[in-house]
Amino acid sequence: MKKVRIISILLVAILLLSMIPGVGAQDEELPDIGTIKVGYIPILGFAPYFVALERGYFAEQGLDVELELFRSGDPMIAPLSLGQLDVGGGETGPALINAFNQGLDVRVVGSLASQPAGFGAVPLLVRTELIESGEVTSPADLAGKKVAVNILRGNAEYLLARALEQGGLTIEDVEMVSIPFPEMPQALANGAVDAAILPHPLAGRALGDGSAQVLLNGDEIVEGAQNGVIYFGQRLLQPENREIGVRFLVAYLKAARDLQDEEGFTFRTNDEVVSAIQTWTNVPEPAIRNGVAYFFDPNGVINLDSTADVVGYHIANGYTEASEIDLDALIITDFLEEALERVGEFEPPVADAAEPAATEEVEG
């Protein structure tokens, strides 16, 4: 009788454990495809990738991840579709739209950084000399000026266009100059450009040395802008490698949640998080701690309204082969849904900053 009771207790314990999110998932055999190559840009918008790597969340999921530097999201698309890169991130730009239109194996699987109210991490900066002289006081005054973006036809151009609209201008009214983000602070300092769309923490350099000032914060340009999304490429989209993709997002979600704290969706109080960002952006820790935060949705939710606006901008300007695109087909949610089953839904610590404006769950 005693033996029967012990067996019954064990069975109940096993049943209870099976009801805990994620328990048992780690026992599933992981396909051996070698190193998971992940594209990144050295800006705060990729912080969850940096944190997941440095805090061991990828390793915890049995993933050997290697980060590869890119100038923007668009150049990641071709290697993703060829299986030379497994994960990327960035704008829903022309390269992604065209690849999808051509039937190539690249899809959006979750959100990266966004800019709801209070999270204007990608400001429009203007040289201090121009602001203090009164030559530039609003976007309308940028007519004829040199403005830096990291890549033409990318997310920075989209944000610049929306900022210029506030002054009755278009991108045709300024001289856009393509400069990698890390080189923009110096370009502002030496007068090579007059203004720049520059994300934090790199923006902190130009603000810290006094060479530039904020004309518009990112959330003043487009509130709720979905600056970045997560891309999966050919290898992770293969059914036999699905478990790898799910585990990647499990690690990502854990890292995104590390970017939340009692002050509400910031990262400044966590030394390990700040160190991870510093390692991969090469920006001094004070600039990171004093910079403006992005919002990283802790459940990976994408702002569909913003994404549709970005895609619409590229289509309207003739940057894409397609005249329209089916976002429900471009964005697939099953990887994220399974990852959330394992880690559970996250309840934001600050109610009034919990959700980006006009955000809805993505339906796949």
Side-chain angles (χ1 to χ4, degrees), residues 79-158:
L80 281 163
S81 69
L82 295 171
Q84 299 167 351
L85 190 70
D86 299 305
V87 181
E91 63 268 32
T92 45
L96 174 65
I97 297 168
N98 289 335
F100 174 73
N101 188 56
Q102 294 165 14
L104 300 182
D105 290 330
V106 183
R107 294 293 186 275
V108 173
V109 297
S111 67
L112 263 174
S114 63
Q115 297 187 98
F119 299 89
V122 188
L124 171 59
L125 302 185
V126 174
R127 286 195 295 116
T128 295
E129 177 185 348
L130 298 177
I131 287 183
E132 291 186 344
S133 69
E135 186 174 346
V136 175
T137 61
S138 75
D141 299 323
L142 292 176
K145 298 289 192 291
K146 290 185 177 180
V147 185
V149 295
N150 65 319
I151 188 171
L152 300 179
R153 304 186 176 190
N155 193 63
E157 178 186 315
Y158 161 77

Side-chain angles (χ1 to χ4, degrees), residues 153-201:
R153 304 186 176 190
N155 193 63
E157 178 186 315
Y158 161 77
L159 291 173
L160 174 60
R162 294 294 183 250
L164 292 172
E165 286 177 358
Q166 297 182 28
L169 304 179
T170 72
I171 57 172
E172 300 299 323
D173 296 310
V174 300
E175 181 182 347
M176 282 195 298
V177 182
S178 179
I179 300 176
F181 285 136
E183 297 176 16
M184 287 187 190
Q186 183 60 37
L188 287 163
N190 62 27
V193 297
D194 300 308
I197 295 288
L198 181 58
H200 282 273

Side-chain angles (χ1 to χ4, degrees), residues 240-261:
E240 62 269 26
N241 295 331
R242 173 184 172 78
E243 178 65 16
I244 296 174
V246 173
R247 291 196 192 186
F248 180 91
L249 289 179
V250 166
Y252 172 84
L253 290 171
K254 288 186 175 183
R257 294 169 187 195
D258 282 352
L259 295 163
Q260 329 294 317
D261 64 22

Side-chain angles (χ1 to χ4, degrees), residues 125-328:
L125 302 185
V126 174
R127 286 195 295 116
T128 295
E129 177 185 348
L130 298 177
I131 287 183
E132 291 186 344
S133 69
E135 186 174 346
V136 175
T137 61
S138 75
D141 299 323
L142 292 176
K145 298 289 192 291
K146 290 185 177 180
V147 185
V149 295
N150 65 319
I151 188 171
L152 300 179
R153 304 186 176 190
N155 193 63
E157 178 186 315
Y158 161 77
L159 291 173
L160 174 60
R162 294 294 183 250
L164 292 172
E165 286 177 358
Q166 297 182 28
L169 304 179
T170 72
I171 57 172
E172 300 299 323
D173 296 310
V174 300
E175 181 182 347
M176 282 195 298
V177 182
S178 179
I179 300 176
F181 285 136
E183 297 176 16
M184 287 187 190
Q186 183 60 37
L188 287 163
N190 62 27
V193 297
D194 300 308
I197 295 288
L198 181 58
H200 282 273
L202 292 167
R205 284 184 169 176
L207 297 172
D209 66 18
S211 61
Q213 296 182 26
V214 174
L215 185 64
L216 291 174
N217 279 308
D219 54 340
E220 295 174 315
I221 298 173
V222 180
E223 185 178 326
Q226 185 69 59
N227 289 67
V229 293
I230 303 170
Y231 312 139
F232 274 7
Q234 181 191 74
R235 294 208 303 171
L236 297 196
L237 294 175
Q238 294 171 355
E240 62 269 26
N241 295 331
R242 173 184 172 78
E243 178 65 16
I244 296 174
V246 173
R247 291 196 192 186
F248 180 91
L249 289 179
V250 166
Y252 172 84
L253 290 171
K254 288 186 175 183
R257 294 169 187 195
D258 282 352
L259 295 163
Q260 329 294 317
D261 64 22
E262 66 274 9
E263 294 183 16
F265 307 102
T266 67
F267 48 86
R268 301 176 181 88
T269 61
N270 191 317
D271 291 342
E272 289 186 8
V273 168
V274 171
S275 178
I277 296 170
Q278 193 279 328
T279 297
W280 290 96
T281 63
N282 199 32
V283 171
E285 288 193 9
I288 296 172
R289 292 185 187 278
N290 296 324
V292 178
Y294 277 105
F295 177 82
F296 298 99
D297 191 284
N299 294 314
V301 177
I302 294 175
N303 184 330
L304 290 179
D305 290 344
S306 173
T307 302
D309 190 56
V310 174
V311 170
Y313 170 81
H314 294 301
I315 291 175
N317 281 278
Y319 296 163
T320 66
E321 300 165 355
S323 58
E324 60 181 5
I325 191 167
D326 182 1
L327 287 181
D328 287 333

